[in-house]
Amino acid sequence: MSVNSIAQWPQDTRRTAIVLPGGGARSAYQVGVLKAIASATPRGAPLPFGIVTGTSAGGILASLLAAHAGDFHEGMEQIERFWRHFHVNLVFDSSLGAMVRSGSRLVGTLLTGGLLVNPPRALLDTTPLRHTLERHVNLARIRHSLTKGYLQSVAISASSYSSARSITFYDTTAPVPEWTRAWRRGVKTELGLDHLMASAAVPFIFPPVPIDGEWFGDGAMRHTAPLSAALRLGADRIIVLGLRDPAARDGLTAAPLHRLPPAPSFGHLLGYMLDTLFMDGSQADVERLERLNEAVDRDPEGSAAAGLRHVVTRVVQPTASLSSLTDGHLQELPAPLRILLRTLGARNQGGQKLLSFLLFEPGFTNELIDLGYADGLAAMARGDLPGRAVEAPAPGLG
């Protein structure tokens, strides 16, 4: 079965999944793509995806979508407004006192070998993020969306430091039993704030989160099969909203230099680590599915007997470098955080990657939303997203 356009997909959205990988502040790009889809969705219509999965910041966005699943258009207006007015201090404590405490504790630990000063659990304090999620994510509405049939399944992944497994916490109205596979497990539960905080707990930067006697960190760490949760929850159509820069995902490298550049700073290395952590493996999953689809198409009856099905996938990725869009936005960050970044050596070109994950400020997130919106319209025009692209971009909510 060859499917060239989402317009050819069946209209039953219960088996259509949206997959939202993580990427810190970069997730504003996903908001823009979703805004494009919403612009082609009638007001009052529910979410056009019956299955929503997410990791890290993508998990937070997944929870917002699930809470607003009853009216996708109105929900996206609220989500866009939230992201367009985002600030760093809604995610972590960026005050001078917090930056001084964080830096001095790290230095004190190194100087005393941990004898006089205990090692910090993390570089930054994410108490503000918990308060932000408490105010803006109506967890009760997620269960309401499920029971009303606006949504069939929602899943958020985190990484267990205890078992070294990727754990997918999911809630569903479909008869989907819990699963255990190599290095990953699915646990049915009613989603709570701890699941969101755990999924977004970037190692070293954000503190780990305890859930049911285990410590959890960012879901991207062990997410070797990003599409598996959507498949387990019954998807036969999957849309992935990636966050990788074009050069990174296409394997492009910079031109060779005639002399060795300066050694990478700590901030450069930290940004590289985050880029590696959030290296979206969905493209590899898509390639595996395409090979499986070929086998299913060659032997439909045998594949059906074996429980295999044809799964259509589409991936929407940024057409411009998200790291380069940080240029000109550094001054938007609070002064204490700028000082910390300068201490880490992240205020040069090599630190752009780190900035692109931490720059939760309107100037940067607005650019990403606008880029995602333009890319989303282009994807609709190609038939890679549901809906028909509007002729002119809808104005931002401001």
Side-chain angles (χ1 to χ4, degrees), residues 187-222:
V187 176
K188 191 175 187 301
T189 186
E190 190 166 332
L191 298 174
L193 279 177
D194 284 341
H195 300 111
L196 302 184
M197 293 293 295
S199 184
V202 180
F204 303 114
I205 299 179
F206 295 165
V209 178
I211 300 176
D212 296 333
E214 294 184 63
W215 287 99
F216 285 87
D218 198 288
M221 286 189 288
R222 288 282 179 173

Side-chain angles (χ1 to χ4, degrees), residues 129-215:
L129 177 60
R130 179 175 286 273
H131 295 330
T132 299
L133 297 179
E134 286 175 342
R135 291 193 304 270
H136 292 279
V137 181
N138 190 332
L139 294 166
R141 294 292 299 179
I142 295 178
R143 177 106 292 265
H144 175 79
S145 295
L146 290 165
T147 56
K148 287 292 186 180
Y150 303 138
L151 184 71
Q152 180 171 282
S153 305
V154 59
I156 295 171
S157 297
S159 299
S160 169
Y161 288 115
S162 304
S163 66
R165 289 176 182 267
S166 174
I167 309 298
T168 296
F169 299 101
Y170 70 97
D171 200 356
T172 183
T173 56
V176 180
E178 296 186 352
W179 64 86
T180 299
R181 290 293 181 268
W183 303 112
R184 62 184 188 271
R185 188 159 63 93
V187 176
K188 191 175 187 301
T189 186
E190 190 166 332
L191 298 174
L193 279 177
D194 284 341
H195 300 111
L196 302 184
M197 293 293 295
S199 184
V202 180
F204 303 114
I205 299 179
F206 295 165
V209 178
I211 300 176
D212 296 333
E214 294 184 63
W215 287 99

Side-chain angles (χ1 to χ4, degrees), residues 32-111:
V33 178
L34 290 164
K35 174 189 173 183
I37 300 173
S39 71
T41 303
R43 286 189 175 274
L47 190 71
F49 317 106
I51 301 167
V52 179
T53 75
T55 306
S56 194
I60 293 173
L61 181 53
S63 69
L64 287 166
L65 282 175
H68 293 287
D71 189 333
F72 179 45
H73 201 285
E74 180 183 347
M76 277 311 304
E77 288 181 344
Q78 295 186 37
I79 292 170
E80 182 191 0
R81 186 178 297 110
F82 172 61
W83 272 92
R84 283 196 182 274
H85 295 86
F86 220 100
H87 291 280
V88 162
N89 58 18
L90 296 176
V91 181
F92 52 85
D93 188 346
S94 58
S95 66
L96 178 60
M99 295 297 102
V100 170
R101 286 193 300 272
S102 178
S104 49
R105 186 169 185 178
L106 181 61
V107 172
T109 301
L110 293 174
L111 291 178

Side-chain angles (χ1 to χ4, degrees), residues 109-131:
T109 301
L110 293 174
L111 291 178
T112 65
L115 296 177
L116 300 179
V117 181
N118 292 327
R121 288 177 55 203
L123 185 64
L124 300 172
D125 176 9
T126 55
T127 301
L129 177 60
R130 179 175 286 273
H131 295 330

